[in-house]
Amino acid sequence: MMHAFPGGTPALDFAGTLRYRHRSEPREDLSSPESLGVWFRESGIAEHEIPCEATDLRAALALREAVHRLILARMAGAAYDRDALALVNAYARKPTPVPQLGATGRHVEATLEQAFAAVARDAVAVLGGPDAALLKECGNPECSQVYVDRSRGARREWCAMDPCGNKIKAAAYRARKRMSGQKTG
């Protein structure tokens, strides 16, 4: 797989395609129109890669940033950015991919507009539903992935164990060993 999906919903994972936002140089996972088409396939929104152009990628990045701004506002208890809200709602009004049943099983064909609509509707569902209270940002200081914490007692700390949880746990282990004067191996 080319992309990671630790958020628990397509909208959170889509917003997380700009990784490590807290670094001076974040990592862009949607670096080409092809990577956008792959993301929609890997996310399960579409069965096949959706052909995308450079203008489609720009539209996707605008949608992604709008979703991200809404997520941050919801987590902070702040008012939603009007432009971000308008963009997400505009896409959410459009038709989404429709699963079909065929002789070989279930399949989903999607246009780019339908894929954008699926992300936008998922953002509406997450931010306007009970999962909104479960949103957390990864505990790795460099990571900016937001996820739905459905763990028992809401004790999840990282977007995923690999790499974030493992990195933090290993650093804590090395720090404890340094404090006790032991070699870390």
Side-chain angles (χ1 to χ4, degrees), residues 3 19-20 27 38 55 63 76 79 82-83 94 98 101 106 119 124 134 157 161 170 172 178:
H3 298 282
R19 311 259 306 143
Y20 310 113
R27 185 181 85 203
V38 169
T55 56
L63 176 59
R82 289 173 39 164
D83 293 336
K94 297 181 181 194
V98 178
L101 186 61
R106 178 184 185 270
V119 169
V124 169
L134 305 175
E157 297 180 50
M161 279 304 292
R178 271 195 307 277

Side-chain angles (χ1 to χ4, degrees), residues 60-118:
L61 297 181
L63 176 59
R64 177 190 66 196
E65 294 309 305
V67 169
H68 186 254
R69 284 193 305 277
L70 296 178
I71 291 167
L72 292 181
R74 178 62 173 94
M75 290 175 60
Y80 290 134
D81 176 270
R82 289 173 39 164
D83 293 336
L85 194 60
L87 182 63
V88 168
N89 283 335
Y91 278 115
R93 283 191 275 285
K94 297 181 181 194
T96 58
V98 178
Q100 300 288 302
L101 186 61
T104 59
R106 178 184 185 270
H107 63 82
V108 179
E109 296 294 327
T111 66
L112 185 62
E113 287 294 309
Q114 289 172 319
F116 287 161

